[in-house]
Each structure stands twice: as structure tokens, then as C-alpha cells.
Amino acid sequence: MIAPSILSADFARLADEVGAVTGEPGVGADWLHVDVMDAHFVPNLTIGLPVVESLLKATAIPVDCHLMIDDPDRWAPAYAEAGAHNVTVHVEAAADPVRLAKDLRAAGALAGLSIKPDTPLELHLETLKHYDTLLVMSVEPGFGGQSFIPRVLDKVRTARRLVDTGHLKVLVEIDGGINADTIEAAAEAGVDCFVAGSAVYGAEDRLRAVQALREQAVGAAPHRWPG
Ligand code: DX5
Ligand code: ZN
């Protein structure tokens, strides 16, 4: 799955920018990745619930909210109630991540847990049993257009092994610095869903960029997506 991040889109033309990655299944974006930042958990401020609510009305693409905010226990469930398909919170910010996962699911969303590049996966495996998605950050959260940190692929490999052996049931998502130079290594390591901001919205033809990334991922790990 390819999830373009609108962080690199033109915020004054959001509906058009979403339209630019919309296409048939297997052609257009699978998820639309929306980065919510509060200038506290990360040193950047983006958009919040009102814009997400408007986006949900403007697109049929499942919306993937990545909340880089303090106190997600308080703020995250509203994104699920609004209709986001997947709501991801940071384990570094959540006070009671197990309870929060239950709240997100009760509100009708998939529950996602994100870990920053220096956060070990091993410490959070029990918590992850309550989640549907693991978002491995491959840059320090806060800004688009940063360079991919290859060492996080060890965490992807571990997660993939635990999922494939039935010890964990999460979709493995990666976020940060995914582009034509890095997506193949991420696919080989076992990623299911690739977030790409600048690689999609920095391209002239956004839909073609989505397709090209998907083709590269499938080409790098054909055994994972037969047919
Ligand atoms: C960064 C955000 C990412 C960002 C990725 O904190 O979580 O989703 O948009 O942008 P690129 O793909 O340009 O690294
Ligand atoms: Zn993100």
C-alpha cells in the first residue's frame, strides 16, 4: 500500500492535491496520510481536527491520521469518531496506550502505534498486541523531506518476523524519507504500507509517482505480493 502524505502538498489547494493521487484500486493512493502536529510533541504545527473533518468529506480514500501530539489519550479518539480509517498515536506520548487503542477501535477506527527512530520496539510488544498498525518512523518526526534512517529497518524485520509467525497481528507501515532510492530496502525488510510525502508531492505527475513507488516495492519483494 502507498499512502501519500499531504504534508508536502499545497495546503491552500488540499482537495485538488488529494484528487491528484486519487485513482482506481492498485493505481491511486491506498491511504491518504495526514500529519497532525501540535508544536509540542514535535517542533512544527500543521493541521487539526477541523481540516481532517473537511478532508474526510472531500475524499473516498481511507484517511490515515498520524498524530504527532502530546496527550493523544485526550485528543485522538475524536479523529476516529470523525471517520478516520486509521488513527496512529505515538507510544512516547500516550499515557495509557492500551486503553487508548480500545477507545480508537470503539470509535470505529483501526488503532495505530508509532515509534520514533530511537524508540526500541522490544519494550512495546505487549502494547502492540492491542493495535492494528505499527508505524515505524524512519526520520525524526516533525518535517517532510528528511533523509531516510536505514537502521530502523531492523525494527521492521523484527515486526515482520513476529507477524509472519503469528505472534503479532499488525500492518507494518513506514514513514519518512521513502522515495525511489529507499523503498526497495523497506519492501525487502517487510513493510506493508509506505508513506511518501515529498516523493509524491514533489513530482510533476503525482499519480504516476504513486504507481512508480508501488511497482518498485512489488518488484523488490515479489514473493510478498504474488500476482
Ligand atoms: C514526518 C511525517 C511524514 C512526512 C514524510 O514527521 O510524519 O509523514 O510527511 O515526508 P517525506 O516522505 O518527505 O519524508
Ligand atoms: Zn507521518
Side-chain angles (χ1 to χ4, degrees):
M1 287 164 55
I2 305 293
S5 163
I6 56 159
L7 184 60
S8 295
D10 179 349
F11 277 14
R13 300 173 45 252
L14 273 183
D16 292 344
E17 294 280 61
V18 174
V21 297
T22 305
E24 295 297 308
V27 176
D30 299 286
W31 283 4
L32 185 73
H33 187 84
V34 178
D35 290 302
V36 173
M37 306 188 191
D38 67 349
H40 287 270
F41 180 71
V42 288
N44 195 5
L45 182 66
T46 55
I47 57 172
L49 188 57
V51 175
V52 170
E53 286 172 336
S54 294
L55 276 170
L56 283 161
K57 285 185 210 140
T59 182
I61 305 175
V63 169
D64 176 31
C65 285
H66 177 194
L67 305 184
M68 286 158 276
I69 60 172
D70 279 347
D71 202 4
D73 306 68
R74 176 174 176 190
W75 302 110
Y79 291 83
E81 284 155 19
H85 181 69
N86 182 65
V87 177
T88 290
V89 297
H90 269 267
V91 73
E92 303 88 356
D96 187 346
V98 172
R99 179 169 171 190
L100 182 49
K102 288 185 184 139
D103 290 347
L104 294 171
R105 285 172 167 178
L110 298 178
L113 193 68
S114 184
I115 53 174
K116 297 205 280 183
D118 290 331
T119 300
L121 176 63
E122 282 73 15
L123 297 180
H124 303 294
L125 291 176
E126 279 306 308
T127 303
L128 263 179
K129 291 190 175 153
H130 301 267
Y131 278 82
D132 305 293
T133 307
L134 165 65
L135 179 64
V136 177
M137 286 306 300
S138 39
V139 298
E140 282 302 325
F143 300 92
Q146 303 182 75
S147 297
F148 183 76
I149 300 171
R151 66 183 147 80
V152 308
L153 292 182
D154 287 340
K155 289 190 274 189
V156 170
R157 285 185 202 99
T158 302
R160 179 83 265 142
R161 195 177 61 243
L162 291 170
V163 171
D164 288 349
T165 54
H167 293 89
L168 210 53
K169 228 178 128 196
V170 289
L171 182 128
V172 182
E173 187 175 9
I174 197 161
D175 184 7
I178 292 294
N179 56 37
D181 296 329
T182 56
I183 194 166
E184 293 182 2
E188 281 166 15
V191 169
D192 298 302
C193 180
F194 305 83
V195 176
S198 47
V200 170
Y201 282 102
E204 194 77 32
D205 185 339
R206 281 101 153 103
L207 199 54
R208 181 66 212 131
V210 169
Q211 279 177 278
L213 287 171
R214 187 184 288 109
E215 281 162 19
Q216 261 193 293
V218 172
H223 56 284
R224 299 205 36 236
W225 298 286

